[in-house]
């Protein structure tokens, strides 16, 4: 009976970590699209990414 619980915990942690990684990837793709639109001078104002408070340049891999 103990191995079933271990398999459930392994799958739970695996799905949890994978879902967090996918959501972070999706959010960074959306932030990259906002930066691209802002670079095209479409009069977009505001903070595009919280990391821009500390760094002015946007680097996709650094924020990922």
């Amino acid at each position: 009976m103990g191995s079933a619980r271990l398999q459930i915990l392994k799958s739970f942690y695996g799905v949890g970590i994978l879902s967090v990684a996918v959501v972070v990837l999706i959010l960074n793709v959306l932030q990259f699209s906002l930066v691209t639109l802002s670079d095209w001078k479409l009069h977009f104002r505001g903070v595009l990414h919280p990391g821009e408070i500390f760094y002015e340049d946007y680097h996709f891999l650094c924020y990922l």
Side-chain angles (χ1 to χ4, degrees):
M1 291 294 253
S3 65
R5 281 182 260 161
L6 288 176
Q7 289 174 350
I8 288 172
L9 283 175
K10 286 179 186 177
S11 65
F12 175 73
Y13 286 127
V15 168
I17 291 170
L18 185 66
S19 62
V20 167
V22 168
V23 167
V24 167
L25 179 68
I26 290 170
L27 288 174
N28 275 296
V29 167
L30 292 174
Q31 295 295 335
F32 179 73
S33 64
L34 285 175
V35 168
T36 303
L37 291 175
S38 177
D39 287 343
W40 287 349
K41 306 292 185 214
L42 295 178
H43 304 292
F44 182 78
R45 298 284 182 199
V47 175
L48 297 174
H49 196 285
E52 287 188 350
I53 296 171
F54 302 109
Y55 301 107
E56 292 184 13
D57 294 335
Y58 178 82
H59 299 288
F60 182 77
L61 294 177
C62 293
Y63 290 121
L64 183 60

